[in-house]
Amino acid sequence: MKLSDYASEIALKWETISLILALVGTATYQIHPDEAVLRDDRIPGRDKEAARRKMIAASDMCLQLCNRIGTISDPLCWATLQHTVFLIEMHGTNDYRTWERLGSLVTLVFALGLHQQKADENTPFFLIQIRRRTMAAAYSMDKELATFLSRPPRICRQYCDLQFPLDLSWEDIVTDDHSVRDAAVQQLDPKGWNMQGDPEKGARPRVALLANILREMILEVSLGHEVSDLEATVRDIRRKWDEMRFNLPPSLQWSADNKHPLATSLHLEFLYQDLLLYQAVEKRTGEIQPPLICTAREILALLLDTVSTQIRSGRISHITIFDLPYIGLPAAGVLSKALLRRPHGCADSSADGTYFPHSEVIQRLSIFAAHVETLFFKRDGDRDTCMKGVSFIRQVLDAVLTPQVHIPPTISCDENREVQRDVAVDTENLDFSTLLENFDWEQDIRLFFS
C-alpha cells in the first residue's frame, strides 16, 4: 500500500480529524506570538487563545466519539499522542488532564501491540517506521512525566521490544519510489544511523528513545521501593550510558567543533541524566554527591554559552529555548540551594573538595533567569511554573547579595554560619529559609520536553 492510498482510507475518520485539530492547536505555541497569522481575525474565535480553546474541545470531542464506538487504530494512537502534547502546552505538565490522557495513550500502545512489534512483510514500510516513532514518542513522554511528577512510569522496557526507528527523513520513509527508499537505507550504518553526518534527517526519535531508556534506569533508583546494591547499580547505569555516548555517530557527538543544536541538546540531556542520578543517590543515602554541583555548573555554563552563540548568529533554536527551562531550571535550583547554604566569607572550596565559585555562580544565575523570562514565550501551561523557578532564583540572589552583619575575620566558617542563622531570626531571611526548605524543586520545577 502506498501512503496516498493509506491517507485516503483514513482521511475522513474522526481520529484523523482529531489529529489535525490537535496539530493546528499545538502549532499556535510553536509559532512566534508576534507572527501575523496568530493575529488574523479570520482564525476561529478571532484570536489565538480562543482558537486554542476551540481546537482542544473539538479534538477531544472526536476522541470521545471514537471511544464511544470502541475504535482502535493507528491514527487514533497518533491523535491521542498529539492531543496529549496539546494538553501539556495548554494546561501544563502537572495538570491531571495531561496525566489522564497519557494513560489513554499507553492503553492504545499496548492494545495495538506497538510494544511487541513483529516483523510482517505485509505491513507497508512507512507504517512500520511510523509505528516505531509512535512507540518511541509514547515511551519518552511517559518517562518525562514520571520524572516530573515523581510517579512510576507506565511503560516498562522489560516488557517491551523497543525498536529504534531508522535514521531516515520523512521524505525517504513515505516515498512511493522503492529505489529512492532503498538507496536511503543503504546509507545507514548497521545500527540504523545515517552516515551522511546530517542530524536533522531522522535522529530525533532515536535520540529520544535512547535518552529515556537511561531515564527509566534512573527512575528505578529514584522511585523504586528497594535497591539491593546501590553503588553497583549506579556504576552499571553509568557504564551503559557511557557506552551509548561512545556509540553515537560523529554528527551527534558534541564538541567545540560540533555545536549543532541537536548535538548540544543531547549532550545537555546526558548531563541532566547525571544530575538526576546524583539526586537519586542523595535521596537514598542522605549524602550530597560532590559531583552534583559540578554537573549543575556545567549545565548552566553550556546553556548560557549556547544562547549567547545563537543570539550572535541572529537565530535561536527552538530546541535551545525548551532546554533552557526544562534542563536549566533543575540545575539552577541545585546551585541556588548551594549558594544559600554556603555562608559569606567561606572559601570557594568546601571540605569535600567541591569547587564553588560564588561570584561566577551569582552572575550565571542572574543571566540565566533573564534568559528564561525573555526566551521562554508565554504559555498557558508551564509558563507559570517556569516563572516560579525564576522568582525563586531571584529571591536567592537577593538574599546572598543583601549586606550582611559584620563577621570578624577570625571567626571560623562554622561559627560564621551560626552567627548568620541567629541574625536571620530578626530579618526576612527567616521566612526565606522556610521557603527554601519547603520548596520542592524536583516536584515543582523539573519540567517536561518532547
Side-chain angles (χ1 to χ4, degrees):
M1 179 180 279
K2 297 179 180 179
L3 176 66
S4 55
D5 299 326
Y6 186 79
S8 66
E9 288 288 331
I10 68 172
L12 297 180
K13 293 182 179 293
W14 287 116
E15 50 265 51
T16 306
I17 296 171
S18 175
L19 172 63
I20 294 170
L21 291 166
L23 281 167
V24 172
T26 305
T28 64
Y29 290 97
Q30 298 173 349
I31 300 171
H32 194 283
D34 292 334
E35 287 288 342
V37 68
L38 294 182
R39 292 182 280 106
D40 192 326
D41 61 9
R42 291 175 297 175
I43 66 175
R46 296 183 178 272
D47 60 65
K48 61 180 182 292
E49 285 78 16
R52 289 165 182 165
R53 290 193 296 271
K54 288 179 178 291
M55 295 296 174
I56 198 86
S59 177
D60 183 65
M61 188 182 300
C62 293
L63 294 178
Q64 289 181 42
L65 286 168
C66 293
N67 183 62
R68 187 171 300 172
I69 60 176
T71 299
I72 178 171
S73 66
D74 285 289
L76 179 60
C77 193
W78 309 338
T80 305
L81 172 63
Q82 190 61 45
H83 191 87
T84 308
V85 174
F86 193 5
L87 284 170
I88 290 168
E89 295 282 16
M90 192 163 188
H91 300 304
T93 309
N94 59 355
D95 189 278
Y96 178 73
R97 287 165 288 188
T98 302
W99 179 253
E100 183 180 41
R101 187 65 72 187
L102 176 66
S104 299
L105 173 62
V106 172
T107 300
L108 272 167
V109 163
F110 288 146
L112 288 168
L114 301 188
H115 63 301
Q116 297 285 358
Q117 296 185 48
K118 298 178 180 178
D120 183 356
E121 61 183 14
N122 295 319
T123 305
F125 177 82
F126 70 83
L127 192 54
I128 292 174
Q129 292 304 310
I130 292 175
R131 284 173 174 171
R132 290 183 179 183
R133 291 184 178 214
T134 302
M135 182 63 197
Y139 179 84
S140 301
M141 188 180 296
D142 177 56
K143 301 304 162 294
E144 295 287 357
L145 262 70
T147 302
F148 180 75
L149 297 171
S150 295
R151 294 173 184 169
R154 289 173 160 122
I155 306 176
C156 300
R157 69 186 185 284
Q158 60 262 41
Y159 301 112
C160 301
D161 180 19
L162 295 172
Q163 300 286 326
F164 280 83
L166 295 177
D167 189 358
L168 297 173
S169 68
W170 276 112
E171 291 78 10
D172 293 332
I173 288 174
V174 303
T175 181
D176 292 335
D177 189 335
H178 288 195
S179 62
V180 171
R181 186 190 70 201
D182 293 343
V185 172
Q186 291 298 318
Q187 293 294 321
L188 303 178
D189 68 14
K191 294 184 178 179
W193 296 103
N194 83 73
M195 296 184 291
Q196 298 171 311
D198 182 3
E200 293 293 344
K201 292 198 74 173
R204 294 190 188 196
R206 293 174 62 87
V207 163
L209 184 55
L210 184 76
N212 283 287
I213 288 173
L214 295 176
R215 183 69 62 84
E216 186 178 351
M217 298 177 189
I218 297 172
L219 286 170
E220 290 169 3
V221 176
S222 178
L223 302 179
H225 181 62
E226 290 183 0
V227 179
S228 56
D229 189 338
L230 181 61
E231 187 174 339
T233 300
V234 170
R235 279 201 309 269
D236 185 54
I237 292 174
R238 294 194 61 83
R239 177 186 61 78
K240 287 178 179 176
W241 78 42
D242 285 341
E243 183 178 321
M244 288 181 181
R245 285 182 183 181
F246 179 77
N247 289 323
L248 286 172
S251 61
L252 293 175
Q253 297 276 2
W254 179 86
S255 67
D257 297 323
N258 180 24
K259 294 186 177 181
H260 186 279
L262 188 57
T264 302
S265 182
L266 183 56
H267 182 60
L268 280 166
E269 180 65 34
F270 278 118
L271 290 174
Y272 184 40
Q273 307 283 25
D274 281 332
L275 190 82
L276 292 175
L277 185 59
Y278 294 137
Q279 289 180 320
V281 174
E282 179 184 344
K283 178 182 175 182
R284 287 278 178 187
T285 64
E287 299 176 1
I288 297 177
Q289 300 295 299
L292 179 63
I293 300 297
C294 298
T295 304
R297 287 180 56 221
E298 191 173 353
I299 289 173
L300 212 58
L302 179 55
L303 275 169
L304 295 182
D305 179 68
T306 301
V307 171
S308 177
T309 300
Q310 293 180 7
I311 287 176
R312 289 196 298 271
S313 72
R315 182 179 181 277
I316 300 178
S317 167
H318 70 279
I319 300 176
T320 302
I321 291 174
F322 277 96
D323 283 345
L324 194 67
Y326 295 142
I327 294 179
L329 276 172
V334 169
L335 295 176
S336 296
K337 287 184 176 182
L339 192 63
L340 273 180
R341 289 166 178 162
R342 290 173 183 255
H344 295 272
C346 292
D348 283 347
S349 294
S350 61
D352 61 13
T354 305
Y355 180 61
F356 189 84
H358 287 74
S359 177
E360 173 199 289
V361 170
I362 289 171
Q363 291 177 53
R364 286 181 174 171
L365 285 175
S366 179
I367 297 170
F368 172 78
H371 280 332
V372 172
E373 191 170 46
T374 302
L375 298 177
F376 193 67
F377 302 132
K378 183 177 176 63
R379 279 170 165 72
D380 295 334
D382 288 333
R383 169 75 178 185
D384 289 344
T385 309
C386 284
M387 292 305 102
K388 185 177 180 181
V390 169
S391 175
F392 176 81
I393 292 169
R394 286 179 171 157
Q395 289 181 69
V396 170
L397 294 175
D398 286 343
V400 298
L401 294 174
T402 299
Q404 302 292 309
V405 65
H406 175 68
I407 306 295
T410 55
I411 291 183
S412 69
C413 196
D414 287 339
E415 292 172 323
N416 184 334
R417 186 180 292 108
E418 292 300 323
V419 170
Q420 291 196 33
R421 185 176 296 133
D422 292 340
V423 171
V425 172
D426 297 319
T427 68
E428 293 182 354
N429 285 344
L430 177 62
D431 294 334
F432 187 71
S433 297
T434 302
L435 169 68
L436 172 64
E437 296 306 322
N438 293 336
F439 191 84
D440 188 346
W441 192 275
E442 289 73 24
Q443 184 73 12
D444 293 344
I445 299 301
R446 184 174 289 145
L447 301 176
F448 158 83
F449 168 63
S450 176

